[in-house]
Protein backbone atom coordinates (compact mmCIF):
# COMPACT_ATOMS: atom_id res chain seq x y z
CA UNK A 1 0.00 0.00 0.00
CA UNK A 2 1.43 3.46 0.68
CA UNK A 3 1.84 5.89 3.54
CA UNK A 4 -1.36 6.17 5.61
CA UNK A 5 -2.25 9.84 5.97
CA UNK A 6 -5.67 9.61 7.54
CA UNK A 7 -9.34 9.00 6.94
CA UNK A 8 -11.50 11.10 4.64
CA UNK A 9 -14.84 12.63 5.67
CA UNK A 10 -16.63 9.66 4.09
CA UNK A 11 -14.67 7.24 6.29
CA UNK A 12 -12.27 5.92 3.65
CA UNK A 13 -8.65 5.29 4.56
CA UNK A 14 -6.27 7.51 2.57
CA UNK A 15 -2.76 6.48 1.49
CA UNK A 16 -0.15 8.34 -0.53
CA UNK A 17 2.35 6.41 -2.64
CA UNK A 18 5.30 7.29 -0.47
CA UNK A 19 7.06 9.58 1.93
CA UNK A 20 10.42 11.31 1.78
CA UNK A 21 12.01 12.05 5.13
CA UNK A 22 13.86 15.05 3.87
CA UNK A 23 17.24 16.65 3.72
CA UNK A 24 18.82 19.86 4.92
CA UNK A 25 16.71 21.85 2.45
CA UNK A 26 13.41 20.25 3.55
CA UNK A 27 12.25 20.97 7.06
CA UNK A 28 9.23 18.65 6.98
CA UNK A 29 8.48 15.18 5.70
CA UNK A 30 7.20 15.10 2.14
CA UNK A 31 4.32 12.84 1.15
CA UNK A 32 4.08 12.03 -2.56
CA UNK A 33 1.50 10.46 -4.81
CA UNK A 34 2.49 9.47 -8.34
CA UNK A 35 0.33 9.14 -11.45
CA UNK A 36 0.77 8.68 -15.15
CA UNK A 37 -2.08 10.19 -17.16
CA UNK A 38 -2.97 9.88 -20.82
CA UNK A 39 -3.79 13.43 -21.98
CA UNK A 40 -5.62 12.13 -25.06
CA UNK A 41 -8.01 9.99 -22.99
CA UNK A 42 -11.71 10.75 -23.34
CA UNK A 43 -11.86 11.57 -19.62
CA UNK A 44 -9.58 14.58 -20.20
CA UNK A 45 -11.38 15.95 -23.24
CA UNK A 46 -13.82 17.98 -21.14
CA UNK A 47 -10.92 19.58 -19.28
CA UNK A 48 -9.44 20.91 -22.52
CA UNK A 49 -6.38 18.70 -22.31
CA UNK A 50 -7.26 16.56 -25.30
CA UNK A 51 -7.33 19.50 -27.70
CA UNK A 52 -3.92 20.75 -26.60
CA UNK A 53 -2.24 17.39 -25.95
CA UNK A 54 -0.27 17.31 -29.18
CA UNK A 55 1.07 20.81 -28.58
CA UNK A 56 1.79 20.53 -24.87
CA UNK A 57 3.44 17.40 -23.42
CA UNK A 58 2.19 18.43 -19.96
CA UNK A 59 -1.48 18.56 -20.96
CA UNK A 60 -3.69 16.76 -18.47
CA UNK A 61 -1.28 17.05 -15.56
CA UNK A 62 -2.90 20.09 -13.96
CA UNK A 63 -6.28 18.37 -13.46
CA UNK A 64 -4.57 15.27 -12.02
CA UNK A 65 -2.47 17.43 -9.68
CA UNK A 66 -5.56 19.29 -8.49
CA UNK A 67 -7.43 16.03 -7.83
CA UNK A 68 -4.54 14.58 -5.83
CA UNK A 69 -3.99 17.83 -3.93
CA UNK A 70 -7.67 17.98 -2.89
CA UNK A 71 -7.49 14.34 -1.81
CA UNK A 72 -4.30 14.47 0.29
CA UNK A 73 -3.00 17.97 1.09
CA UNK A 74 -5.11 18.75 4.15
CA UNK A 75 -4.65 15.25 5.62
CA UNK A 76 -0.87 15.54 5.16
CA UNK A 77 -0.71 19.03 6.67
CA UNK A 78 -2.62 17.77 9.73
CA UNK A 79 0.19 15.24 10.21
CA UNK A 80 3.02 17.75 9.77
CA UNK A 81 3.86 16.72 6.20
CA UNK A 82 4.09 18.63 2.95
CA UNK A 83 2.35 17.04 -0.02
CA UNK A 84 3.25 17.12 -3.70
CA UNK A 85 1.60 15.20 -6.51
CA UNK A 86 4.05 13.81 -9.06
CA UNK A 87 2.22 13.46 -12.36
CA UNK A 88 3.68 12.31 -15.65
CA UNK A 89 1.92 11.96 -18.98
CA UNK A 90 2.07 9.10 -21.42
CA UNK A 91 3.65 11.56 -23.87
CA UNK A 92 6.56 12.33 -21.53
CA UNK A 93 5.35 15.44 -19.73
CA UNK A 94 5.89 16.20 -16.05
CA UNK A 95 3.43 18.04 -13.82
CA UNK A 96 4.07 21.67 -13.00
CA UNK A 97 3.83 21.43 -9.18
CA UNK A 98 6.62 18.87 -8.86
CA UNK A 99 8.75 20.59 -11.51
CA UNK A 100 8.43 24.04 -9.96
CA UNK A 101 8.70 23.09 -6.28
CA UNK A 102 11.27 20.30 -6.34
CA UNK A 103 12.70 19.13 -9.69
CA UNK A 104 13.98 22.42 -11.13
CA UNK A 105 15.21 23.89 -7.81
CA UNK A 106 17.05 20.64 -7.06
CA UNK A 107 18.98 20.68 -10.34
CA UNK A 108 19.76 24.39 -10.01
CA UNK A 109 21.18 23.67 -6.54
CA UNK A 110 23.19 20.70 -7.87
CA UNK A 111 24.67 22.84 -10.65
CA UNK A 112 25.59 25.56 -8.14
CA UNK A 113 27.25 23.02 -5.83
CA UNK A 114 29.16 21.54 -8.78
CA UNK A 115 30.32 25.01 -9.81
CA UNK A 116 31.50 25.75 -6.26
CA UNK A 117 33.50 22.50 -6.32
CA UNK A 118 34.95 23.40 -9.75
CA UNK A 119 33.10 20.52 -11.42
CA UNK A 120 32.09 21.18 -15.02
CA UNK A 121 28.47 22.18 -15.78
CA UNK A 122 27.90 19.06 -17.86
CA UNK A 123 28.13 16.75 -14.85
CA UNK A 124 24.86 18.03 -13.35
CA UNK A 125 23.19 17.95 -16.77
CA UNK A 126 24.34 14.36 -17.24
CA UNK A 127 22.92 13.32 -13.86
CA UNK A 128 19.64 15.08 -14.63
CA UNK A 129 19.46 13.31 -18.01
CA UNK A 130 20.09 10.00 -16.21
CA UNK A 131 16.97 10.51 -14.08
CA UNK A 132 14.91 11.81 -17.00
CA UNK A 133 15.79 8.63 -18.88
CA UNK A 134 14.65 6.52 -15.92
CA UNK A 135 11.33 8.37 -15.82
CA UNK A 136 10.97 7.89 -19.59
CA UNK A 137 11.48 4.14 -19.20
CA UNK A 138 8.84 4.00 -16.46
CA UNK A 139 6.37 5.89 -18.67
CA UNK A 140 7.19 3.63 -21.63
CA UNK A 141 6.58 0.55 -19.48
CA UNK A 142 3.23 1.98 -18.38
CA UNK A 143 2.31 2.64 -22.01
CA UNK A 144 3.30 -0.91 -23.00
CA UNK A 145 1.12 -2.40 -20.25
CA UNK A 146 -1.78 -0.18 -21.28
CA UNK A 147 -1.46 -1.29 -24.91
CA UNK A 148 -1.12 -4.93 -23.90
CA UNK A 149 -4.28 -4.74 -21.76
CA UNK A 150 -6.24 -3.07 -24.57
CA UNK A 151 -5.32 -5.90 -26.96
CA UNK A 152 -6.76 -8.49 -24.58
CA UNK A 153 -10.15 -6.83 -24.21
CA UNK A 154 -12.88 -8.84 -25.89
CA UNK A 155 -16.21 -7.45 -27.06
Amino acid sequence: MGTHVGTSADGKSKHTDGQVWGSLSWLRRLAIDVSIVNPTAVSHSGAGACGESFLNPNAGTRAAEETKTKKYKLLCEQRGMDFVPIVFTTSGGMGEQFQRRYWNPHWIRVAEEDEAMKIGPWVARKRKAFWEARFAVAVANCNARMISRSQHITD
Side-chain angles (χ1 to χ4, degrees), residues 130-147:
F130 171 88
W131 284 106
E132 289 170 336
R134 295 314 175 269
F135 292 142
V137 168
V139 169
N141 284 333
C142 177
N143 287 339
R145 283 192 303 275
M146 185 173 51
I147 291 168

Side-chain angles (χ1 to χ4, degrees), residues 91-109:
S91 56
M94 182 188 294
E96 182 180 321
Q97 284 189 43
F98 178 66
Q99 274 191 61
R100 187 176 20 113
R101 289 174 54 195
Y102 297 96
W103 184 257
N104 292 339
H106 170 74
W107 291 109
I108 290 169
R109 197 168 41 252

